[in-house]
Each structure stands twice: as C-alpha cells, then as structure tokens.
Amino acid sequence: GMQIGFEGGQMPLQRRLPKRGFVNIFGKEFAIVNVAALEDRFEDGAVIDIDALKSAGLVNKTLDGVKVLAHGDITKKFTVKVNAYSDAAKAKIEAAGGKAEVI
C-alpha cells in the first residue's frame, strides 16, 4: 500500500545505547572532525580552534573535546588547536605545512 510517513530504518547508534550506566571504554568522547571538512570550510592560513569549528558548524557539541581524523585531503596550511589527532591526521596537517597543536 501507500507508505504514510516513514517507518523502520536504522536507529542512530547514540539512541540505541543506554544513557545510564553506559561506560565509554575510551574514557573520553570526542567530537570528530575530518581534515576534508577543514579544507572545505577554512581559508589557507587559518588558525582553527574549537570556537572556529563551532562557528563553522563542524561541531555542535564538543563533548570531552575535538579530535581530528585523516579522512580526505588537505592542501591548505592550517594551525589546528584541538584536543586530539589521529597520527595520520597530524601527518596530513603537517605535510600541508600546517601545525597540529594539542590543547
């Protein structure tokens, strides 16, 4: 028959996990940003900190901090100041002539 509304589909992970008594095995929960998103949103030479990420709409809640992952390519030179990086992300930022600072 006709489909009225939308039913089914996969529930987003964060809604399936019990809110109480759920222990994050990593201890910290980071908002994730990929280098491709930085490349997209910021000018060459930008200093990118958490406030900059928030105003660009790349992170809405920072949880325990922000972690940059290496997904995508980066050609611009950024000074990034966040809580954590994957090794590959740090390497990409530095290879583009930028700096990956841990705050």
Side-chain angles (χ1 to χ4, degrees):
M2 291 286 291
Q3 210 178 354
I4 300 173
F6 175 75
E7 284 199 80
Q10 189 105 30
M11 190 87 134
L13 185 66
Q14 64 274 21
R15 266 192 286 171
R16 279 183 298 172
L17 294 174
K19 272 285 173 268
R20 247 173 308 191
F22 174 68
V23 180
N24 187 333
I25 50 175
F26 300 112
K28 281 190 182 290
E29 212 180 336
F30 290 119
I32 299 298
V33 179
N34 284 305
V35 293
L38 302 179
E39 178 80 9
D40 254 15
R41 292 299 170 89
F42 294 98
E43 297 299 302
D44 194 17
V47 174
I48 303 168
D49 59 12
I50 289 173
D51 286 339
L53 292 171
K54 275 189 178 156
S55 46
L58 292 177
V59 296
N60 47 12
K61 14 184 232 297
T62 52
L63 306 169
D64 291 321
V66 175
K67 181 170 184 173
V68 176
L69 299 185
H71 190 75
D73 287 315
I74 173 173
T75 59
K76 297 176 186 165
K77 210 162 137 177
F78 297 129
T79 299
V80 188
K81 302 181 180 190
V82 299
N83 309 87
Y85 303 86
S86 69
D87 291 343
K90 196 172 190 330
K92 281 190 178 181
I93 292 167
E94 287 168 355
K99 287 204 216 37
E101 295 177 16
V102 174
I103 56 172

Coordinates of all heavy atoms in Angstrom, one line a residue:
G1 N 0.8 -1.2 0.0 CA 0.0 0.0 0.0 C 0.9 1.2 0.0 O 2.1 1.2 -0.1
M2 N 0.2 2.4 0.1 CA 0.9 3.6 0.1 C 1.7 3.7 1.4 O 1.2 3.3 2.5 CB -0.1 4.8 0.1 CG -0.8 4.9 -1.2 SD 0.3 5.6 -2.5 CE 0.4 7.3 -1.8
Q3 N 2.8 4.3 1.3 CA 3.6 4.5 2.6 C 3.2 5.8 3.2 O 3.3 6.9 2.5 CB 5.1 4.5 2.2 CG 5.9 3.9 3.4 CD 7.3 3.8 3.1 OE1 7.7 4.0 1.9 NE2 8.1 3.4 4.0
I4 N 2.8 5.8 4.4 CA 2.4 7.1 5.1 C 3.5 7.3 6.1 O 3.7 6.5 7.0 CB 1.0 7.0 5.7 CG1 0.0 6.7 4.6 CG2 0.7 8.3 6.4 CD1 -1.3 6.4 5.0
G5 N 4.2 8.4 6.0 CA 5.3 8.7 6.9 C 6.4 7.7 6.6 O 6.4 7.0 5.6
F6 N 7.4 7.6 7.5 CA 8.5 6.7 7.2 C 8.7 5.9 8.5 O 8.8 6.4 9.6 CB 9.7 7.5 6.9 CG 10.9 6.7 6.8 CD1 11.1 5.9 5.6 CD2 11.9 6.6 7.8 CE1 12.2 5.1 5.5 CE2 13.0 5.8 7.6 CZ 13.2 5.0 6.5
E7 N 8.7 4.6 8.3 CA 8.8 3.7 9.5 C 10.0 2.8 9.3 O 10.4 2.5 8.1 CB 7.6 2.9 9.7 CG 6.5 3.7 10.3 CD 5.4 2.8 10.9 OE1 5.7 2.3 12.0 OE2 4.4 2.5 10.2
G8 N 10.6 2.4 10.3 CA 11.7 1.5 10.2 C 13.0 2.3 9.9 O 13.1 3.4 10.3
G9 N 13.9 1.6 9.3 CA 15.2 2.3 9.1 C 16.0 2.0 10.4 O 15.5 1.6 11.4
Q10 N 17.3 2.3 10.3 CA 18.2 2.0 11.4 C 18.2 3.2 12.4 O 18.2 4.3 12.0 CB 19.6 1.9 10.9 CG 20.5 1.3 11.9 CD 20.9 -0.1 11.7 OE1 20.9 -0.6 10.6 NE2 21.1 -0.8 12.8
M11 N 18.1 2.8 13.6 CA 18.1 3.8 14.7 C 19.5 4.3 14.8 O 20.4 3.5 14.8 CB 17.7 3.0 16.0 CG 17.4 3.9 17.1 SD 15.8 4.5 17.3 CE 15.7 4.2 19.1
P12 N 19.7 5.6 14.9 CA 21.1 6.1 15.1 C 21.7 5.5 16.4 O 21.0 5.3 17.4 CB 20.9 7.6 15.3 CG 19.6 7.9 14.8 CD 18.8 6.7 14.9
L13 N 23.0 5.1 16.3 CA 23.6 4.4 17.3 C 23.5 5.1 18.7 O 23.2 4.4 19.7 CB 25.1 4.4 17.0 CG 26.0 3.6 18.0 CD1 25.6 2.1 17.9 CD2 27.4 3.7 17.7
Q14 N 23.6 6.4 18.7 CA 23.6 7.0 20.0 C 22.3 6.9 20.7 O 22.2 7.0 21.9 CB 24.0 8.5 20.0 CG 23.2 9.5 19.3 CD 23.5 9.5 17.8 OE1 24.1 8.6 17.3 NE2 23.1 10.6 17.1
R15 N 21.2 6.6 20.0 CA 19.9 6.4 20.6 C 19.7 5.0 21.1 O 18.8 4.8 21.9 CB 18.8 6.9 19.7 CG 18.4 8.3 20.0 CD 17.1 8.7 19.3 NE 17.4 8.8 17.9 CZ 16.5 9.0 17.0 NH1 15.2 9.0 17.3 NH2 16.8 9.1 15.7
R16 N 20.5 4.1 20.5 CA 20.3 2.7 21.0 C 21.1 2.4 22.2 O 20.8 1.4 22.9 CB 20.7 1.8 19.9 CG 19.6 1.6 18.8 CD 20.0 0.6 17.8 NE 21.2 1.1 17.1 CZ 21.9 0.4 16.3 NH1 21.6 -0.9 16.0 NH2 23.0 0.9 15.7
L17 N 22.1 3.2 22.5 CA 22.9 2.9 23.7 C 22.2 3.4 24.9 O 21.7 4.5 24.9 CB 24.2 3.6 23.5 CG 25.1 3.1 22.4 CD1 26.4 4.0 22.3 CD2 25.5 1.7 22.6
P18 N 22.2 2.6 26.0 CA 21.5 3.1 27.2 C 22.3 4.4 27.7 O 23.5 4.4 27.7 CB 21.6 2.0 28.1 CG 22.7 1.1 27.6 CD 22.7 1.3 26.1
K19 N 21.5 5.4 28.1 CA 22.1 6.6 28.5 C 22.8 6.4 29.9 O 23.8 7.0 30.2 CB 21.1 7.7 28.6 CG 20.9 8.5 27.3 CD 22.1 9.4 27.1 CE 22.0 10.0 25.7 NZ 22.7 9.3 24.7
R20 N 22.1 5.6 30.7 CA 22.6 5.5 32.1 C 23.4 4.2 32.2 O 23.1 3.2 31.6 CB 21.5 5.4 33.1 CG 21.5 6.6 33.9 CD 20.2 6.7 34.8 NE 19.1 6.5 33.9 CZ 17.8 6.7 34.3 NH1 17.6 7.0 35.5 NH2 16.8 6.5 33.5
G21 N 24.5 4.3 33.0 CA 25.2 3.0 33.2 C 26.0 2.6 32.0 O 26.5 1.5 31.9
F22 N 26.1 3.5 31.0 CA 26.9 3.1 29.9 C 28.3 3.7 30.1 O 28.5 4.9 30.2 CB 26.3 3.7 28.6 CG 27.2 3.4 27.4 CD1 27.4 2.1 26.9 CD2 27.8 4.5 26.7 CE1 28.2 1.9 25.8 CE2 28.6 4.3 25.6 CZ 28.8 3.0 25.2
V23 N 29.3 2.9 30.1 CA 30.6 3.3 30.4 C 31.4 3.4 29.0 O 31.5 2.4 28.3 CB 31.4 2.4 31.3 CG1 32.8 3.0 31.6 CG2 30.6 2.3 32.6
N24 N 31.9 4.6 28.7 CA 32.6 4.7 27.5 C 34.0 4.1 27.7 O 34.8 4.6 28.5 CB 32.7 6.2 27.2 CG 33.3 6.4 25.8 OD1 34.1 5.6 25.3 ND2 33.0 7.5 25.2
I25 N 34.3 3.1 26.9 CA 35.6 2.4 27.2 C 36.8 3.3 26.9 O 37.9 3.0 27.3 CB 35.7 1.1 26.3 CG1 35.3 1.4 24.9 CG2 34.8 0.0 26.9 CD1 35.5 0.2 24.0
F26 N 36.6 4.3 26.1 CA 37.7 5.2 25.8 C 37.9 6.2 26.8 O 38.8 7.0 26.7 CB 37.5 5.8 24.4 CG 37.4 4.8 23.3 CD1 36.2 4.6 22.6 CD2 38.5 4.0 23.0 CE1 36.2 3.7 21.6 CE2 38.4 3.0 22.0 CZ 37.3 2.9 21.3
G27 N 36.9 6.3 27.7 CA 37.0 7.3 28.8 C 36.6 8.7 28.3 O 36.0 9.4 29.1
K28 N 37.0 9.1 27.1 CA 36.6 10.4 26.7 C 35.9 10.3 25.4 O 36.2 9.4 24.6 CB 37.9 11.3 26.4 CG 38.4 11.8 27.7 CD 39.5 12.9 27.3 CE 40.2 13.5 28.6 NZ 39.3 14.3 29.3
E29 N 34.9 11.1 25.2 CA 34.2 11.1 24.0 C 34.5 12.4 23.2 O 34.2 13.5 23.7 CB 32.7 11.1 24.3 CG 31.9 10.3 23.3 CD 30.4 10.2 23.7 OE1 30.1 10.4 24.9 OE2 29.6 10.1 22.8
F30 N 35.0 12.3 22.0 CA 35.4 13.4 21.3 C 34.4 13.7 20.1 O 33.9 12.8 19.5 CB 36.8 13.2 20.7 CG 37.9 13.2 21.7 CD1 38.7 12.1 21.8 CD2 38.2 14.4 22.4 CE1 39.8 12.1 22.7 CE2 39.2 14.4 23.4 CZ 40.0 13.3 23.5
A31 N 34.2 15.0 19.9 CA 33.5 15.3 18.6 C 34.6 15.1 17.5 O 35.8 15.4 17.7 CB 33.1 16.8 18.7
I32 N 34.2 14.5 16.4 CA 35.1 14.2 15.3 C 35.0 15.1 14.2 O 33.9 15.4 13.7 CB 34.8 12.7 14.8 CG1 34.9 11.7 16.0 CG2 35.7 12.4 13.7 CD1 36.3 11.6 16.6
V33 N 36.2 15.6 13.7 CA 36.2 16.4 12.5 C 37.3 15.8 11.6 O 38.4 15.5 12.0 CB 36.6 17.9 12.9 CG1 36.7 18.7 11.6 CG2 35.6 18.5 13.9
N34 N 36.9 15.7 10.3 CA 37.9 15.2 9.3 C 38.7 16.3 8.7 O 38.1 17.4 8.5 CB 37.2 14.4 8.3 CG 36.8 13.0 8.8 OD1 37.6 12.3 9.3 ND2 35.5 12.7 8.7
V35 N 39.9 16.0 8.2 CA 40.7 17.1 7.6 C 40.0 17.7 6.4 O 40.1 18.8 6.0 CB 42.1 16.7 7.3 CG1 42.9 16.4 8.5 CG2 42.2 15.5 6.3
A36 N 39.2 16.8 5.7 CA 38.5 17.3 4.5 C 37.5 18.4 4.8 O 37.4 19.4 4.1 CB 37.7 16.1 3.8
A37 N 36.9 18.3 6.0 CA 36.0 19.4 6.4 C 36.7 20.7 6.7 O 36.2 21.8 6.4 CB 35.2 18.9 7.7
L38 N 37.9 20.6 7.2 CA 38.7 21.8 7.5 C 39.1 22.5 6.1 O 38.9 23.7 6.0 CB 40.0 21.5 8.2 CG 39.9 20.7 9.6 CD1 41.2 20.4 10.1 CD2 39.0 21.5 10.5
E39 N 39.5 21.6 5.2 CA 39.9 22.1 3.9 C 38.7 22.8 3.2 O 38.9 23.9 2.6 CB 40.3 20.8 3.0 CG 40.6 21.1 1.6 CD 42.1 21.6 1.5 OE1 42.8 21.6 2.4 OE2 42.4 22.0 0.3
D40 N 37.5 22.3 3.4 CA 36.3 22.8 2.9 C 35.9 24.2 3.4 O 35.4 25.1 2.7 CB 35.1 22.0 3.3 CG 34.6 21.1 2.2 OD1 35.3 21.0 1.2 OD2 33.5 20.6 2.4
R41 N 36.0 24.3 4.7 CA 35.4 25.5 5.4 C 36.4 26.6 5.7 O 35.9 27.7 6.0 CB 34.9 25.0 6.8 CG 33.7 24.1 6.8 CD 32.6 24.7 6.1 NE 31.5 23.7 5.8 CZ 30.6 23.4 6.7 NH1 30.5 24.0 7.8 NH2 29.7 22.5 6.4
F42 N 37.7 26.4 5.7 CA 38.6 27.4 6.2 C 39.5 27.9 5.1 O 39.8 27.2 4.2 CB 39.4 26.9 7.4 CG 38.5 26.7 8.6 CD1 38.0 25.4 8.9 CD2 38.1 27.7 9.4 CE1 37.2 25.2 10.0 CE2 37.3 27.5 10.5 CZ 36.9 26.2 10.8
E43 N 39.9 29.1 5.3 CA 40.9 29.7 4.3 C 42.3 29.2 4.6 O 42.6 28.9 5.8 CB 40.9 31.3 4.5 CG 39.6 32.0 4.2 CD 39.2 31.7 2.8 OE1 40.0 32.1 1.9 OE2 38.1 31.2 2.5
D44 N 43.1 29.3 3.6 CA 44.5 28.9 3.8 C 45.1 29.8 4.9 O 44.8 31.0 4.9 CB 45.2 29.2 2.5 CG 46.6 28.5 2.5 OD1 46.9 27.7 3.3 OD2 47.4 28.9 1.6
G45 N 45.9 29.3 5.8 CA 46.5 30.1 6.8 C 45.6 30.2 8.1 O 46.1 30.9 9.0
A46 N 44.4 29.7 8.1 CA 43.5 29.9 9.2 C 44.1 29.2 10.5 O 44.8 28.2 10.4 CB 42.1 29.3 8.9
V47 N 43.8 29.8 11.6 CA 44.0 29.2 12.9 C 42.7 28.6 13.3 O 41.7 29.3 13.4 CB 44.5 30.2 13.9 CG1 44.6 29.5 15.3 CG2 45.8 30.8 13.5
I48 N 42.7 27.3 13.4 CA 41.4 26.6 13.7 C 41.4 26.1 15.1 O 42.1 25.1 15.4 CB 41.2 25.4 12.7 CG1 41.3 26.0 11.3 CG2 39.9 24.7 12.9 CD1 41.4 24.9 10.2
D49 N 40.6 26.7 15.9 CA 40.4 26.1 17.3 C 39.0 25.7 17.5 O 38.2 25.7 16.5 CB 40.8 27.1 18.4 CG 40.0 28.4 18.3 OD1 39.0 28.5 17.5 OD2 40.4 29.4 18.9
I50 N 38.6 25.3 18.7 CA 37.3 24.8 18.9 C 36.2 25.8 18.6 O 35.2 25.5 18.0 CB 37.2 24.1 20.3 CG1 38.0 22.9 20.3 CG2 35.7 23.8 20.7 CD1 38.2 22.2 21.6
D51 N 36.4 27.0 19.0 CA 35.4 28.1 18.7 C 35.2 28.2 17.2 O 34.1 28.4 16.7 CB 35.8 29.4 19.3 CG 35.7 29.4 20.8 OD1 34.9 28.6 21.3 OD2 36.3 30.2 21.5
A52 N 36.3 28.2 16.4 CA 36.2 28.3 15.0 C 35.4 27.1 14.4 O 34.6 27.3 13.5 CB 37.6 28.4 14.4
L53 N 35.7 25.9 14.9 CA 34.9 24.8 14.4 C 33.4 24.9 14.7 O 32.6 24.5 13.9 CB 35.5 23.5 15.1 CG 36.9 23.1 14.7 CD1 37.4 22.0 15.6 CD2 37.0 22.7 13.2
K54 N 33.1 25.4 15.9 CA 31.7 25.6 16.3 C 31.1 26.6 15.4 O 30.0 26.4 14.9 CB 31.6 26.1 17.7 CG 31.7 25.0 18.8 CD 31.3 25.6 20.1 CE 31.3 24.6 21.2 NZ 31.5 25.2 22.5
S55 N 31.8 27.8 15.1 CA 31.1 28.8 14.3 C 31.0 28.3 12.9 O 30.1 28.8 12.2 CB 31.7 30.2 14.5 OG 33.1 30.1 14.4
A56 N 31.9 27.4 12.5 CA 31.7 26.9 11.1 C 30.7 25.8 11.0 O 30.4 25.2 10.0 CB 33.1 26.3 10.6
G57 N 30.1 25.4 12.2 CA 29.1 24.4 12.2 C 29.7 23.0 12.1 O 28.9 22.0 11.8
L58 N 31.0 22.8 12.3 CA 31.6 21.5 12.2 C 31.4 20.6 13.4 O 31.4 19.4 13.3 CB 33.0 21.6 11.8 CG 33.3 22.1 10.4 CD1 34.8 22.3 10.1 CD2 32.7 21.3 9.3
V59 N 31.3 21.3 14.6 CA 31.0 20.5 15.8 C 29.9 21.3 16.5 O 29.9 22.5 16.5 CB 32.2 20.4 16.7 CG1 33.3 19.6 16.1 CG2 32.7 21.7 17.2
N60 N 28.9 20.6 17.0 CA 27.8 21.3 17.7 C 28.0 21.0 19.2 O 27.9 22.0 20.0 CB 26.4 21.0 17.2 CG 26.2 19.5 17.0 OD1 27.0 18.7 17.4 ND2 25.1 19.2 16.3
K61 N 28.3 19.8 19.6 CA 28.6 19.7 21.0 C 30.1 19.1 21.1 O 30.4 18.2 20.3 CB 27.7 18.8 21.8 CG 26.8 17.9 21.2 CD 26.0 17.2 22.3 CE 26.0 15.7 22.1 NZ 25.3 15.2 20.9
T62 N 30.8 19.7 21.9 CA 32.2 19.4 21.9 C 32.5 18.2 22.8 O 33.6 17.7 22.9 CB 33.1 20.5 22.3 OG1 32.6 21.1 23.5 CG2 33.1 21.6 21.2
L63 N 31.5 17.7 23.6 CA 31.7 16.5 24.4 C 32.9 16.7 25.3 O 33.0 17.7 26.0 CB 31.8 15.3 23.6 CG 30.6 15.0 22.6 CD1 30.9 13.9 21.6 CD2 29.3 14.7 23.4
D64 N 33.9 15.8 25.2 CA 35.1 16.0 26.0 C 36.2 16.7 25.2 O 37.4 16.8 25.7 CB 35.7 14.6 26.5 CG 34.7 14.0 27.5 OD1 34.2 14.7 28.3 OD2 34.5 12.8 27.4
G65 N 35.9 17.1 24.0 CA 36.9 17.7 23.2 C 36.7 17.4 21.8 O 35.7 16.8 21.4
V66 N 37.6 17.8 20.9 CA 37.5 17.6 19.5 C 38.7 16.8 19.0 O 39.9 17.1 19.5 CB 37.4 18.9 18.8 CG1 37.4 18.7 17.2 CG2 36.2 19.7 19.2
K67 N 38.5 15.8 18.2 CA 39.6 15.0 17.6 C 39.5 15.1 16.1 O 38.4 15.0 15.5 CB 39.4 13.6 18.0 CG 40.5 12.7 17.5 CD 40.5 11.3 18.1 CE 41.7 10.5 17.5 NZ 41.9 9.2 18.2
V68 N 40.7 15.4 15.5 CA 40.7 15.5 14.0 C 41.2 14.1 13.5 O 42.2 13.6 13.9 CB 41.7 16.6 13.6 CG1 41.8 16.6 12.1 CG2 41.2 17.9 14.1
L69 N 40.4 13.6 12.5 CA 40.8 12.4 11.8 C 41.2 12.7 10.4 O 40.9 13.8 9.8 CB 39.6 11.4 11.8 CG 39.1 11.0 13.2 CD1 38.0 9.9 13.0 CD2 40.2 10.4 14.0
A70 N 41.9 11.7 9.7 CA 42.6 12.0 8.5 C 41.7 11.8 7.2 O 42.3 11.7 6.1 CB 43.8 11.1 8.4
H71 N 40.4 11.7 7.4 CA 39.6 11.4 6.2 C 39.6 12.6 5.2 O 39.3 13.7 5.6 CB 38.2 11.1 6.6 CG 37.3 10.6 5.5 ND1 37.5 9.3 5.0 CD2 36.4 11.2 4.8 CE1 36.6 9.2 4.0 NE2 36.0 10.3 3.9
G72 N 40.0 12.4 4.0 CA 40.0 13.5 3.0 C 41.4 14.0 2.8 O 42.4 13.5 3.3
D73 N 41.5 15.0 1.9 CA 42.8 15.6 1.6 C 42.9 17.0 2.1 O 41.9 17.7 2.2 CB 43.0 15.6 0.0 CG 43.3 14.2 -0.4 OD1 44.1 13.5 0.2 OD2 42.6 13.7 -1.4
I74 N 44.1 17.4 2.3 CA 44.2 18.8 2.8 C 45.4 19.4 2.1 O 46.5 18.8 1.9 CB 44.4 18.7 4.3 CG1 44.7 20.1 4.9 CG2 45.4 17.7 4.8 CD1 44.7 20.1 6.4
T75 N 45.2 20.6 1.5 CA 46.3 21.3 0.8 C 46.6 22.6 1.5 O 47.6 23.2 1.2 CB 45.9 21.6 -0.6 OG1 44.7 22.4 -0.6 CG2 45.5 20.3 -1.4
K76 N 45.7 23.1 2.3 CA 45.9 24.4 2.9 C 46.7 24.3 4.2 O 46.7 23.2 4.8 CB 44.5 25.0 3.2 CG 43.7 25.3 2.0 CD 42.4 25.9 2.4 CE 41.5 26.0 1.2 NZ 40.1 26.2 1.6
K77 N 47.3 25.4 4.5 CA 48.2 25.4 5.7 C 47.3 25.9 6.9 O 46.9 27.1 6.9 CB 49.2 26.5 5.4 CG 50.5 26.2 6.0 CD 51.6 27.1 5.3 CE 52.5 27.7 6.3 NZ 53.5 28.5 5.6
F78 N 47.1 25.1 7.8 CA 46.3 25.5 9.0 C 47.1 25.3 10.2 O 48.0 24.4 10.3 CB 45.1 24.5 9.1 CG 44.1 24.5 8.0 CD1 43.7 23.4 7.4 CD2 43.6 25.8 7.5 CE1 42.8 23.4 6.3 CE2 42.7 25.8 6.5 CZ 42.3 24.6 5.9
T79 N 46.8 26.1 11.2 CA 47.2 25.9 12.6 C 46.0 25.4 13.3 O 45.0 26.1 13.5 CB 47.8 27.2 13.2 OG1 48.8 27.6 12.4 CG2 48.2 26.9 14.7
V80 N 46.0 24.1 13.7 CA 44.9 23.5 14.3 C 45.2 23.3 15.8 O 46.2 22.8 16.2 CB 44.6 22.1 13.6 CG1 43.2 21.6 14.1 CG2 44.5 22.3 12.1
K81 N 44.2 23.7 16.6 CA 44.4 23.6 18.1 C 43.1 22.9 18.6 O 42.1 23.5 18.9 CB 44.5 25.0 18.7 CG 45.6 25.8 18.2 CD 45.7 27.1 18.9 CE 46.8 27.9 18.3 NZ 47.1 29.1 19.0
V82 N 43.3 21.5 18.7 CA 42.2 20.8 19.3 C 42.8 19.8 20.3 O 44.0 19.8 20.6 CB 41.3 20.0 18.2 CG1 40.7 21.0 17.3 CG2 42.2 19.0 17.5
N83 N 41.9 18.9 20.8 CA 42.3 18.0 21.9 C 43.1 16.8 21.5 O 43.9 16.3 22.2 CB 41.1 17.6 22.7 CG 40.2 18.7 23.1 OD1 39.4 19.1 22.4 ND2 40.5 19.3 24.3
A84 N 42.8 16.3 20.3 CA 43.4 15.1 19.9 C 43.4 15.0 18.3 O 42.6 15.6 17.6 CB 42.6 13.9 20.4
Y85 N 44.4 14.2 17.8 CA 44.5 13.9 16.4 C 44.8 12.4 16.2 O 45.4 11.8 17.1 CB 45.7 14.7 15.8 CG 45.7 16.1 16.1 CD1 46.2 16.7 17.2 CD2 45.2 17.0 15.1 CE1 46.1 18.0 17.5 CE2 45.1 18.4 15.3 CZ 45.6 18.9 16.5 OH 45.5 20.2 16.7
S86 N 44.4 11.9 15.1 CA 44.9 10.6 14.8 C 46.3 10.9 14.2 O 46.6 12.0 13.7 CB 44.0 9.9 13.7 OG 44.1 10.5 12.5
D87 N 47.2 9.9 14.2 CA 48.5 10.1 13.7 C 48.5 10.5 12.3 O 49.2 11.4 11.9 CB 49.4 8.8 13.8 CG 49.6 8.5 15.3 OD1 49.5 9.4 16.2 OD2 50.0 7.3 15.6
A88 N 47.6 9.9 11.5 CA 47.5 10.2 10.1 C 47.1 11.7 9.9 O 47.5 12.3 9.0 CB 46.6 9.2 9.4
A89 N 46.1 12.1 10.7 CA 45.6 13.5 10.5 C 46.7 14.5 10.8 O 46.9 15.5 10.1 CB 44.4 13.7 11.5
K90 N 47.5 14.2 11.9 CA 48.6 15.1 12.3 C 49.6 15.2 11.1 O 50.0 16.2 10.7 CB 49.2 14.5 13.5 CG 50.1 15.5 14.3 CD 50.5 14.8 15.6 CE 51.2 15.7 16.6 NZ 52.0 16.8 16.2
A91 N 49.9 14.0 10.6 CA 50.8 13.9 9.5 C 50.3 14.7 8.3 O 51.1 15.4 7.6 CB 51.1 12.5 9.1
K92 N 49.0 14.6 8.0 CA 48.5 15.4 6.8 C 48.5 16.9 7.0 O 48.8 17.6 6.1 CB 47.0 14.9 6.6 CG 46.9 13.6 5.8 CD 45.5 13.4 5.4 CE 45.4 12.1 4.6 NZ 44.0 11.8 4.1
I93 N 48.2 17.3 8.2 CA 48.2 18.7 8.5 C 49.6 19.3 8.4 O 49.8 20.3 7.8 CB 47.6 19.0 10.0 CG1 46.1 18.7 10.0 CG2 47.9 20.5 10.4 CD1 45.5 18.6 11.4
E94 N 50.6 18.5 8.9 CA 51.9 19.0 8.9 C 52.5 18.9 7.5 O 53.3 19.7 7.1 CB 52.8 18.2 9.9 CG 52.4 18.6 11.3 CD 53.0 17.7 12.4 OE1 53.6 16.6 12.1 OE2 52.8 18.0 13.6
A95 N 52.1 17.9 6.7 CA 52.6 17.7 5.3 C 52.1 18.9 4.5 O 52.8 19.3 3.6 CB 52.1 16.4 4.7
A96 N 51.0 19.5 4.8 CA 50.4 20.6 4.1 C 51.1 21.9 4.6 O 50.8 23.0 4.1 CB 48.9 20.7 4.3
G97 N 52.0 21.8 5.5 CA 52.7 23.0 6.0 C 52.1 23.6 7.3 O 52.5 24.7 7.7
G98 N 51.1 22.9 7.8 CA 50.4 23.5 9.0 C 51.0 22.9 10.3 O 52.0 22.2 10.3
K99 N 50.3 23.3 11.4 CA 50.7 22.8 12.7 C 49.5 22.1 13.3 O 48.4 22.6 13.3 CB 51.1 24.0 13.6 CG 52.4 24.7 13.2 CD 52.8 25.4 14.5 CE 53.5 26.7 14.4 NZ 53.1 27.6 13.4
A100 N 49.8 21.0 14.0 CA 48.7 20.3 14.8 C 49.0 20.5 16.2 O 49.9 19.8 16.7 CB 48.6 18.9 14.3
E101 N 48.4 21.4 16.9 CA 48.7 21.6 18.3 C 47.7 20.9 19.2 O 46.5 21.0 18.9 CB 48.8 23.1 18.6 CG 49.9 23.8 17.9 CD 49.9 25.3 18.2 OE1 49.2 25.8 19.1 OE2 50.5 26.1 17.4
V102 N 48.2 20.3 20.3 CA 47.2 19.7 21.2 C 47.0 20.7 22.3 O 47.9 21.3 22.9 CB 47.8 18.4 21.8 CG1 46.9 17.8 22.8 CG2 48.0 17.4 20.6
I103 N 45.7 20.9 22.6 CA 45.4 21.9 23.7 C 45.1 21.1 25.0 O 44.7 20.0 24.9 CB 44.2 22.8 23.3 CG1 42.9 21.9 23.0 CG2 44.5 23.7 22.2 CD1 41.7 22.7 22.8

